[in-house]
Amino acid sequence: MKLVLYISIISLFTFKVSAQKKFAQLDLELPTPNEFHNAAGAPGHNYYQQKADYKMALTIDDETQKLYGVETITYTNNSPDRLDYLWLQLDQNIYAENSDSKVIEIEKMENFKSIGDIRKKFFKYDGGFKIEYIKSTSGQAMRYAINKTMLRIDLDKPLLPNSSISFQIKWMYNINDRMAVGGRSGYEYFEKDKNYLYTIAQYFPRMCVYNDVTGWQNKQFLGTGEFTLPFGDYEVSITVPADHVVAATGECQNLDALLNTDEKKRLAQARKSDSPVIIVTQAEAELAEKTKSSKTKTWIFKATNVRDFAFASSRKFIWDAQNQNVGGKNILCMSYYPKEGNPLWERYSTKLVAHTIKTYSKYTVDYPYPVAISVHSKWIGMEYPMICFNGGRPESDGTYSEGEKYGMWGVIIHEVGHNFFPMIINSDERQWSWMDEGLNTFVQYLTEQEWERGYPSRRGPAYLIADYMRGDKKTISPIMTNSESILQFGNNAYGKPATALNILRETIMGHELFDFAFKTYCERWKLKHPTPADLFRTMEDASAVDLDWFWRGWFYGTDNVDISIDEVKYFQLNTQNPTVEKQFNKSKNENKDLFIGDERNKTSISETVNEKDTTIDDFYAKRNIYAVDALDKKEYETFLAKIDPKDLELLNSNKHFYEVSFSNIGGLVMPLIMEFTFSDDTKQVIRIPAEIWRKSEEKVSKVFILDKDVISFRLDPFLETADTDLDNNTWPKKVLPSRYQLFKQQETQGNPMQRQKKVDALEKGE
């Protein structure tokens, strides 16, 4: 088909009443800007945050696995409001016998797959805080009430703006056995050497956040929504067996009294080294495992402007460290691990800590704290300021699978990365899990790719989220869902937001615009309390890119990306040159597909009437419609005399016009990334912003004017939009092959390292 010379341009879009739905601004969904959180997404001119300082004395009883503590809290009211009561978190109460988290758990008999699962239902553990007293610093008892995982202190006098109050709490609790009870913290018992490894967190009554967004953030702790905490200064003394090594938030103040001469020398060397230096060796840790001192030592730590305090303690710890410079400041990166973690931990952990601190600082803010610590314990990955607890344990023979290695690498990068989200950029985890998990998983992906080229990241690339997004919408919740109500937590809070940010960086905004805007958000809200609106507004404010359609589709909805190529029409301009056009028509007719009857009639009809009788054919039967006559030439000469030379040049340019029609089947609008493959096997990619859907959300079409003829079209060739159906992304339609597995492959015994040991032994004749 030819395209006539002069074309009446017709709109490619169908206008609809509902066409603005997906591109509507988020004004109604976002909170109204105010003096605390302004319209640009930055802290307002009257932004405030409360401060909670702690002085604590803690003791671990290694014989009974109990923790005893007494704390003095100084709480400063920087808000413009008077406070009649204070709220504190009692997160250990999740282990109480009548805990809501146990009562509301959905259960089915099919979940009990072994006698061990049933035994857990009868497991009794006396968990939760046992509070001895709460009193003022003058010794007067204070009135308080406990509501499950929350504690309210009723004040005799209101706490006025710009004033402080100090009070003291004494408590104890039975440390949970993580292997039996589970949890983010607790102890692990090593049966072989009869020793304990403690990873301790959520162990003290902690102040809730009070701010202009939620008032008191006193939602009950049910186990999924994590922790929302104010910043403050900590001074903590920890009394443990004398042969224990303690790792904690902050810097130890009395190392000279705790370490021997060799350990001090090694630590001094580590502070100047760009590779790990072992401070407590495996041999020294193994000796401590056997001797077991009956005496105690007290470790004293201080931490400034942090939102929490955690620690780990064990006589089993090997300890290594190295220096990492960030923004001209030296950060001591450290790892603590039992021998069961080797050889993986000695080889990788501290290097991963240093790499993570360096890389996250590049994309977010410079790491502000003096130390960064990774502690190993089994089956855990959990984060706190300056310290995190990580899994990744080899087999008892020291071998490990590739999956175990990548799992360890990933969890250390992720948990160390949590220093930035939410420990520094301090979002409300109890309300929005994605603001720390999703943002952290996104930067984790960037950090993994800088650790090893081609690192097999589990989350981040768009195509990895496609299976989840094409799933049953009944089991999918929007990202903007309260932490305790999320369905498919990992995909929702980690995978989808990380993918969304990756798509913003790679496809919507580009690296330069995105990196500037994202770093602006991090700088604005470091050591402060941001909300989702602050992120959304800052990303737009710092980039001049309207992203409301993106936040609406990816964060507020459950639509998936499924854009199809429905139809392709091919046109060329009519040159008006009779020699060219009649030859084109001749070639077209000669190469057209024949009706099967016409093809068979060539042989089945031996002779037609007009072939027998020469008087039958008239003028029309005899004329050559493809011949160029004198009149054709004269008319063309007249045409040439009138046409603008530029128009003639366009007519003779041999441009190829393709009208491509698209459907938005999945509902989530995204850019159109089109790859054209030409007849000479070269390719070209054209990118069209998502705004093409702004006036027609279901169907659009686009005309592409190209220099060469196209043999195939492909949508989303680089798998960057999370399209959930690639079968409708090509034209002509391409059937993608898949393997049909007839027989289940035999599983190999042991990991590849163990197999190689057997190979080596056979080759040596052993």
Side-chain angles (χ1 to χ4, degrees):
M1 184 186 294
K2 287 287 187 167
L3 185 66
V4 296
L5 176 60
Y6 299 107
I7 308 172
S8 174
I9 303 297
I10 301 175
S11 171
L12 300 176
F13 305 101
T14 302
F15 288 85
K16 297 181 180 180
V17 174
S18 63
Q20 293 297 322
K21 181 176 62 176
K22 296 186 187 301
F23 285 86
Q25 298 297 285
L26 282 175
D27 295 344
L28 296 179
E29 287 78 6
L30 299 184
T32 303
N34 54 42
E35 59 189 314
F36 310 113
H37 296 255
N38 70 28
H45 60 275
N46 279 334
Y47 173 82
Y48 71 86
Q49 60 190 41
Q50 312 290 65
K51 191 169 188 284
D53 300 324
Y54 299 81
K55 288 188 176 182
M56 288 191 281
L58 310 172
T59 300
I60 285 184
D61 187 330
D62 195 39
E63 295 297 322
T64 62
Q65 288 69 61
K66 297 180 184 296
L67 184 143
Y68 298 88
V70 59
E71 65 181 345
T72 299
I73 302 176
T74 299
Y75 185 73
T76 302
N77 180 16
N78 293 316
S79 79
D81 309 320
R82 75 173 216 172
L83 303 177
D84 295 314
Y85 44 77
L86 309 177
W87 280 104
L88 289 82
Q89 304 180 51
L90 299 179
D91 302 298
Q92 285 294 327
N93 283 2
I94 196 173
Y95 297 117
E97 190 62 34
N98 61 347
S99 167
D100 279 356
S101 62
K102 296 179 181 179
V103 176
I104 66 175
E105 185 177 0
I106 298 174
E107 297 171 332
K108 292 184 177 181
M109 279 304 299
E110 64 191 46
N111 296 333
F112 297 97
K113 302 186 185 328
S114 69
I115 192 68
D117 293 331
I118 298 175
R119 193 184 305 117
K120 288 181 180 179
K121 290 295 295 180
F122 293 93
F123 182 83
K124 297 296 183 181
Y125 162 63
D126 183 18
F129 284 103
K130 277 67 173 173
I131 294 178
E132 183 174 329
Y133 63 72
I134 301 178
K135 61 185 180 182
S136 67
T137 51
S138 63
Q140 184 176 356
M142 302 179 74
R143 291 178 292 114
Y144 66 90
I146 295 175
N147 179 14
K148 301 172 184 176
T149 62
M150 289 291 162
L151 181 151
R152 189 189 70 239
I153 298 178
D154 298 320
L155 303 178
D156 291 336
K157 296 180 180 179
L159 183 62
L160 300 177
N162 301 313
S163 60
S164 299
I165 186 173
S166 295
F167 54 94
Q168 193 174 81
I169 304 177
K170 187 175 182 181
W171 78 97
M172 65 80 61
Y173 74 90
N174 295 304
I175 303 172
N176 54 298
D177 179 350
R178 282 196 307 100
M179 316 311 287
V181 180
R184 290 174 168 82
S185 65
Y187 70 79
E188 177 182 358
Y189 180 63
F190 293 80
E191 178 68 34
K192 189 173 182 179
D193 54 55
K194 311 296 183 185
N195 279 294
Y196 293 86
L197 189 158
Y198 299 92
T199 47
I200 304 297
Q202 293 88 246
Y203 59 91
F204 61 102
R206 302 180 293 175
M207 293 300 306
C208 294
V209 164
Y210 180 87
N211 61 24
D212 65 287
V213 178
T214 60
W216 285 106
Q217 174 48 289
N218 55 6
K219 292 183 184 297
Q220 294 289 335
F221 179 44
L222 299 178
T224 300
E226 291 180 337
F227 313 109
T228 305
L229 301 159
F231 287 103
D233 301 334
Y234 287 75
E235 183 176 340
V236 182
S237 65
I238 306 168
T239 300
V240 295
D243 51 5
H244 272 217
V245 174
V246 177
T249 298
E251 292 183 292
C252 186
Q253 305 297 299
N254 61 333
L255 281 178
D256 281 345
L258 296 168
L259 304 186
N260 62 39
T261 302
D262 289 338
E263 291 166 345
K264 292 176 189 177
K265 288 180 179 178
R266 297 167 189 164
L267 180 57
Q269 180 185 352
R271 294 184 186 279
K272 300 177 182 178
S273 176
D274 59 2
S275 61
V277 175
I278 296 179
I279 299 162
V280 175
T281 68
Q282 181 164 331
E284 291 166 341
E286 289 179 353
L287 179 61
E289 287 177 347
K290 298 173 183 176
T291 55
K292 296 183 183 177
S293 173
S294 59
K295 298 180 180 180
T296 62
K297 283 185 179 178
T298 299
W299 298 61
I300 301 173
F301 291 88
K302 285 187 178 181
T304 302
N305 207 15
V306 294
R307 59 166 248 162
D308 202 359
F309 191 103
F311 69 96
S313 181
S314 181
R315 61 174 55 88
K316 294 178 64 67
F317 278 148
I318 304 162
W319 174 16
D320 69 46
Q322 77 170 76
N323 180 62
Q324 176 62 59
N325 187 276
V326 173
K329 178 182 177 181
N330 290 323
I331 312 298
L332 188 61
C333 300
M334 298 184 280
S335 295
Y336 298 77
Y337 46 95
K339 63 180 184 297
E340 287 78 6
N342 274 337
L344 273 175
W345 277 72
E346 183 177 318
R347 184 172 187 176
Y348 294 121
S349 179
T350 298
K351 290 181 180 179
L352 284 161
V353 174
H355 170 69
T356 302
I357 292 298
K358 178 182 177 182
T359 308
Y360 271 70
S361 294
K362 177 172 68 172
Y363 289 110
T364 62
V365 298
D366 284 352
Y367 186 73
Y369 299 126
V371 302
I373 299 168
S374 170
V375 177
H376 174 54
S377 61
K378 195 174 185 181
W379 301 342
I380 193 170
M382 192 57 200
E383 70 279 358
Y384 303 94
M386 302 185 229
I387 188 171
C388 54
F389 311 144
N390 304 309
R393 183 168 294 176
E395 301 294 335
S396 58
D397 63 359
T399 64
Y400 49 87
S401 67
E402 193 173 24
E404 191 73 32
K405 181 188 75 170
Y406 279 114
M408 174 209 173
W409 286 3
V411 74
I412 291 177
I413 292 173
H414 183 86
E415 305 304 342
V416 174
H418 268 305
N419 275 287
F420 296 82
F421 309 99
M423 304 306 157
I424 298 168
I425 299 136
N426 188 12
S427 56
D428 182 348
E429 294 181 277
R430 191 61 56 88
Q431 179 66 26
W432 306 115
S433 288
W434 70 266
M435 283 200 74
D436 73 294
E437 298 296 357
L439 271 62
N440 184 43
T441 302
F442 164 65
V443 186
Q444 175 189 349
Y445 165 76
L446 300 178
T447 304
E448 288 172 344
Q449 297 308 307
E450 292 196 24
W451 172 260
E452 178 184 85
R453 193 170 301 282
Y455 189 111
S457 297
R458 292 178 56 231
R459 295 181 172 115
Y463 68 91
L464 293 176
I465 203 68
D467 284 345
Y468 163 70
M469 293 184 70
R470 74 164 65 91
D472 186 351
K473 296 298 188 287
K474 294 178 181 178
T475 64
I476 298 175
S477 50
I479 292 175
M480 291 292 288
T481 299
N482 173 268
S483 298
E484 296 294 350
S485 301
I486 293 172
L487 303 174
Q488 299 194 58
F489 191 83
N491 284 316
N492 179 287
Y494 295 69
K496 189 178 177 182
T499 302
L501 293 177
N502 214 339
I503 290 174
L504 275 184
R505 187 172 188 261
E506 297 292 346
T507 302
I508 309 298
M509 302 172 72
H511 286 196
E512 184 177 355
L513 274 180
F514 178 92
D515 289 353
F516 177 83
F518 189 68
K519 198 168 180 65
T520 298
Y521 164 75
C522 296
E523 290 286 354
R524 282 177 172 178
W525 291 99
K526 64 182 178 183
L527 303 174
K528 295 183 175 67
H529 305 292
T531 67
D534 297 317
L535 172 64
F536 299 158
R537 285 170 169 152
T538 294
M539 293 301 293
E540 296 189 21
D541 179 69
S543 68
V545 179
D546 185 350
L547 296 171
D548 281 20
W549 65 271
F550 188 84
W551 308 128
R552 182 181 296 282
W554 277 86
F555 286 75
Y556 287 86
T558 60
D559 285 347
N560 59 290
V561 181
D562 181 10
I563 301 172
S564 69
I565 300 177
D566 295 336
E567 185 180 18
V568 176
K569 296 179 181 178
Y570 177 37
F571 305 88
Q572 282 186 295
L573 293 176
N574 190 321
T575 66
Q576 304 297 310
N577 185 333
T579 301
V580 174
E581 297 307 316
K582 290 192 174 185
Q583 183 59 39
F584 174 85
N585 290 333
K586 180 181 180 181
S587 176
K588 179 180 177 182
N589 285 333
E590 289 176 347
N591 291 295
K592 71 179 181 180
D593 295 329
L594 288 178
F595 167 58
I596 192 170
D598 292 339
E599 185 66 32
R600 290 170 176 169
N601 288 339
K602 290 180 181 180
T603 56
S604 64
I605 301 175
S606 60
E607 189 178 32
T608 62
V609 171
N610 76 319
E611 290 171 345
K612 291 180 182 180
D613 185 348
T614 58
T615 64
I616 296 296
D617 288 350
D618 63 356
F619 165 79
Y620 292 105
K622 294 178 181 179
R623 71 171 178 156
N624 182 1
I625 62 175
Y626 303 117
V628 178
D629 57 28
L631 184 58
D632 288 331
K633 294 178 180 178
K634 185 178 175 78
E635 290 174 344
Y636 185 56
E637 289 173 357
T638 302
F639 171 77
L640 292 177
K642 294 180 179 180
I643 192 170
D644 187 301
K646 292 183 178 179
D647 290 340
L648 181 62
E649 182 181 356
L650 176 59
L651 289 180
N652 293 323
S653 64
N654 198 32
K655 296 285 186 182
H656 302 266
F657 292 72
Y658 294 92
E659 179 187 311
V660 185
S661 299
F662 305 90
S663 286
N664 180 8
I665 299 171
L668 186 51
V669 295
M670 287 295 285
L672 301 177
I673 300 101
M674 287 291 294
E675 180 185 73
F676 307 93
T677 301
F678 301 104
S679 57
D680 62 0
D681 288 332
T682 59
K683 297 179 185 291
Q684 180 181 355
V685 175
I686 294 178
R687 295 173 176 270
I688 301 171
E691 281 76 8
I692 190 173
W693 302 96
R694 69 195 184 284
K695 295 180 181 177
S696 178
E697 297 174 352
E698 297 176 0
K699 292 183 179 293
V700 296
S701 58
K702 188 71 178 177
V703 173
F704 300 94
I705 306 174
L706 304 167
D707 293 327
K708 294 180 285 188
D709 58 313
V710 179
I711 60 172
S712 67
F713 300 80
R714 186 180 177 189
L715 185 64
D716 193 20
F718 308 115
L719 306 179
E720 56 186 293
T721 67
D723 198 306
T724 59
D725 184 1
L726 301 181
D727 288 340
N728 58 21
N729 283 23
T730 56
W731 188 278
K733 299 299 182 184
K734 183 184 295 186
V735 179
L736 301 177
S738 61
R739 295 291 187 188
Y740 182 72
Q741 185 170 296
L742 292 177
F743 303 101
K744 185 177 180 181
Q745 293 180 348
Q746 183 177 357
E747 295 181 0
T748 58
Q749 298 298 316
N751 62 57
M753 290 181 76
Q754 290 172 332
R755 184 181 186 279
Q756 188 61 45
K757 281 187 173 183
K758 295 177 182 178
V759 171
D760 293 343
L762 287 173
E763 290 177 348
K764 293 176 182 178
E766 298 176 356

